[in-house]
């Protein structure tokens, strides 16, 4: 996934409240459970607040967003938001880790199917568009903020996930070249970057509930990509 390095400040002091730090997570999108509270606000309300925060972060940028702005969008007093989350950093962490958990669950299902390289690529692209449909604001946040956030211990899993992502997609293309499914002269790394950017930039214009379902968009993308990389017969 693409990730532009953002410029900005660290979270302001008034955007957090004192709390005990949780154990730092350095996994690859498997931190969701670490964020769930054993007892606390209703899950449905928590999801609503996270969805609101994600939209605000995506539109305004993380550093430019205050807890007060999120609370205003959610129809709450700023102090009431702290009943649900200890800081806006915690909200961002849960938004991104939830997105990556679901993305990798889908990718792992594709790998478990034991498909050939062409079919694997098609399935990965389709699953990616499904995740853009489910988590469009989170994808936009990831693209804008992940390079900056990954330098922080709490968000180390972002860099780990990116490395795993590259290994999967690049490996699929290289396997396709080796197996004869893709052209022998294909530059796998260049193709990986092209396909990655072409797919994930869709988060900037895609809107759930629009004219085309994610599967249809994936089919159209794949028809253009595969016509360029498949072996001509």
């Amino acid at each position: 996934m693409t990730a532009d390095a953002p410029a900005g400040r660290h979270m302001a002091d008034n955007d957090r409240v004192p709390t005990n730090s949780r154990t730092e997570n350095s996994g690859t999108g498997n931190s969701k459970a670490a964020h769930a509270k054993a007892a606390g606000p209703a899950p449905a309300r928590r999801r609503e607040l996270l969805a609101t925060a994600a939209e605000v972060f995506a539109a305004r940028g993380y550093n430019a967003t205050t807890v007060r702005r999120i609370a205003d969008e959610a129809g709450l007093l700023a102090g009431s938001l702290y009943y649900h989350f200890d800081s806006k950093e915690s909200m961002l962490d849960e938004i991104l880790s939830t997105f990556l958990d679901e993305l990798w669950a889908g990718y792992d299902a594709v790998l478990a199917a034991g498909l050939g390289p062409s079919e694997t690529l098609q399935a990965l692209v389709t699953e990616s568009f499904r995740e853009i449909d489910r988590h469009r604001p989170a994808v936009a946040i990831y693209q804008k903020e992940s390079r900056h956030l990954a330098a922080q211990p709490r968000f180390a899993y972002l860099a780990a996930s990116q490395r795993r992502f590259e290994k999967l997609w690049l490996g699929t293309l290289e396997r396709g070249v080796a197996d004869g499914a893709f052209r022998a002269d294909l530059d796998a790394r260049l193709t990986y970057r092209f396909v990655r950017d072409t797919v994930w930039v869709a988060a900037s214009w895609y809107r759930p509930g629009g004219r085309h379902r994610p599967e249809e968009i994936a089919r159209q993308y794949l028809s253009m990509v595969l016509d360029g990389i498949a072996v001509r017969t």
Side-chain angles (χ1 to χ4, degrees), residues 118 121-122 125-126 129 194-195 198-199 215-230 232:
S118 181
L121 180 63
Q122 293 177 59
V125 169
T126 301
F129 276 107
F194 170 77
V195 175
T198 301
V199 170
E215 293 82 3
E216 173 60 19
I217 297 173
R219 188 185 69 79
Q220 294 283 350
Y221 268 58
L222 284 163
S223 68
M224 292 182 281
V225 171
L226 293 178
D227 281 348
I229 69 174
R232 294 179 177 86

Side-chain angles (χ1 to χ4, degrees), residues 42-165:
R45 182 55 173 157
R46 187 179 181 84
R47 287 194 297 270
E48 290 173 2
L49 293 173
L50 285 171
T52 298
E55 291 286 356
V56 179
F57 288 148
R60 297 176 60 86
Y62 175 69
N63 287 326
T65 299
T66 63
V67 168
R68 182 178 297 278
R69 180 56 184 258
I70 297 170
D72 288 346
E73 293 290 334
L76 295 173
L77 296 174
S80 299
L81 200 59
Y82 288 125
Y83 172 67
H84 301 270
F85 305 95
D86 58 47
S87 67
K88 74 171 188 176
E89 186 180 51
S90 292
M91 286 184 272
L92 180 66
D93 195 356
E94 191 161 340
I95 289 164
L96 291 175
S97 63
T98 297
F99 156 57
L100 289 175
D101 284 346
E102 294 190 15
L103 176 70
W104 281 107
Y107 282 179
D108 287 343
V110 170
L111 293 178
L115 303 172
S118 181
E119 292 78 11
T120 297
L121 180 63
Q122 293 177 59
L124 290 173
V125 169
T126 301
E127 185 59 36
S128 298
F129 276 107
R130 288 177 180 147
E131 292 305 319
I132 292 172
D133 180 64
R134 297 182 189 116
H135 297 285
R136 186 200 60 80
V139 175
I141 296 166
Y142 181 98
Q143 291 177 329
K144 294 175 183 177
E145 312 282 3
S146 64
R147 194 171 299 171
H148 165 69
L149 291 169
Q152 303 177 30
R154 181 169 190 166
F155 294 96
Y157 62 86
L158 297 177
S161 182
Q162 177 58 38
R163 290 191 296 269
R164 185 181 174 196
F165 182 95

Side-chain angles (χ1 to χ4, degrees), residues 193-213:
R193 290 171 176 165
F194 170 77
V195 175
R196 175 199 65 188
D197 293 352
T198 301
V199 170
W200 290 101
V201 76
S204 65
W205 56 260
Y206 178 81
R207 293 296 179 271
R211 179 180 176 186
H212 299 294
R213 292 182 55 79

Side-chain angles (χ1 to χ4, degrees), residues 176-191:
V177 172
D179 291 354
F182 302 147
R183 289 178 7 221
D185 64 341
L186 190 72
D187 185 319
R189 184 165 294 277
L190 183 62
T191 303

